[in-house]
Amino acid sequence: MKIEKSGYGAGTRDFAGHPNVVRLTVGETTSMLAAKMASETLTVLEANLDDLNPQVFGYVMDRLLEEGAWDAFGVPVQMKKNRPGMLLTVLCKPEDSDKLTQLLFTETSTLGVRRRDEVRQTLARRWENVTTEWGEVRIKIASMNGTVTNYAPEYEDCRRIATEHGVPLKMVMQEASRQYLGKGDKH
């Protein structure tokens, strides 16, 4: 542990059988110091939708991603007067939030958009290419302290290959993972 501060104190009462003293040590364990991750500020936009045509919802999700949202998702919610609805959540760069809020107002039935800035921690990420029998696939690799913690074949690459070659998507994804694992020096 890396000690940042320590202190001692004694109370004014006397207890039978043990002293009335305390010691406090403040610090971080070395593993916690090594595991520090990158952090970034992101904006979260949310809107409750209870009267939007479901076909429009899918269109709005696509538009949000095309306009720069990092992610967009919907969660079914039960709203006032027992109406079923959706909670639409958008994650984006703070500088894109005004543009995406405007899109929510113009493309959905919402009358209000909640906005908050949050800090998220992220793992180090990198991309590697692997070659499958059908073509190249990018693999996203996440690591912490230099150790790979997660990896995943890029969905769009696998989807394109599956469509072009008429093979099941899961087969392409499995093959890409096997090729990555076969490199042997990453995990």
Side-chain angles (χ1 to χ4, degrees), residues 33-102:
L33 290 170
K36 287 190 177 176
M37 296 158 239
S39 65
E40 61 188 339
T41 299
L42 62 98
T43 298
V44 179
L45 305 173
E46 288 183 333
N48 290 24
L49 306 168
D50 64 356
D51 56 358
L52 184 68
N53 179 326
Q55 294 170 322
V56 174
F57 191 87
Y59 173 79
V60 170
M61 298 279 282
D62 290 342
R63 286 285 319 279
L64 288 163
L65 296 171
E66 288 167 6
E67 292 296 323
W70 283 333
D71 203 355
F73 54 92
V75 177
V77 293
Q78 194 70 26
M79 301 190 48
K80 66 183 176 198
K81 301 179 185 177
N82 290 319
R83 290 188 301 235
M86 292 294 280
L87 169 62
L88 174 60
T89 303
V90 180
L91 307 179
C92 64
K93 295 181 219 169
E95 58 266 24
D96 290 340
S97 60
D98 289 339
K99 168 180 70 171
L100 296 175
T101 298
Q102 184 176 352

Side-chain angles (χ1 to χ4, degrees), residues 81-170:
K81 301 179 185 177
N82 290 319
R83 290 188 301 235
M86 292 294 280
L87 169 62
L88 174 60
T89 303
V90 180
L91 307 179
C92 64
K93 295 181 219 169
E95 58 266 24
D96 290 340
S97 60
D98 289 339
K99 168 180 70 171
L100 296 175
T101 298
Q102 184 176 352
L103 190 148
L104 290 173
F105 281 131
T106 58
E107 295 287 356
T108 73
S109 56
T110 191
L111 301 177
V113 176
R114 294 178 299 280
R115 172 187 172 161
R116 65 183 179 276
D117 288 338
E118 295 189 7
V119 175
R120 73 171 174 177
Q121 291 183 295
T122 58
L123 294 173
R125 291 174 245 177
R126 71 180 195 281
W127 292 91
E128 283 188 23
N129 289 339
V130 296
T131 303
T132 70
E133 62 184 277
W134 308 286
E136 291 231 334
V137 174
R138 290 175 293 160
I139 304 280
K140 184 189 290 187
I141 303 153
S143 60
M144 182 169 51
N145 303 327
T147 301
V148 172
T149 57
N150 294 303
Y151 67 91
E154 175 57 31
Y155 169 77
E156 291 299 332
D157 291 354
C158 294
R159 181 175 184 262
R160 176 185 45 77
I161 286 172
T163 301
E164 287 174 2
H165 295 276
V167 295
L169 174 63
K170 69 180 184 176

Side-chain angles (χ1 to χ4, degrees), residues 6-44:
S6 65
Y8 300 87
T12 56
R13 293 176 124 182
D14 288 329
F15 295 104
H18 62 83
N20 185 8
V21 295
V22 67
R23 176 177 66 182
L24 176 67
T25 305
V26 177
E28 288 184 304
T29 63
T30 53
S31 63
M32 289 298 290
L33 290 170
K36 287 190 177 176
M37 296 158 239
S39 65
E40 61 188 339
T41 299
L42 62 98
T43 298
V44 179

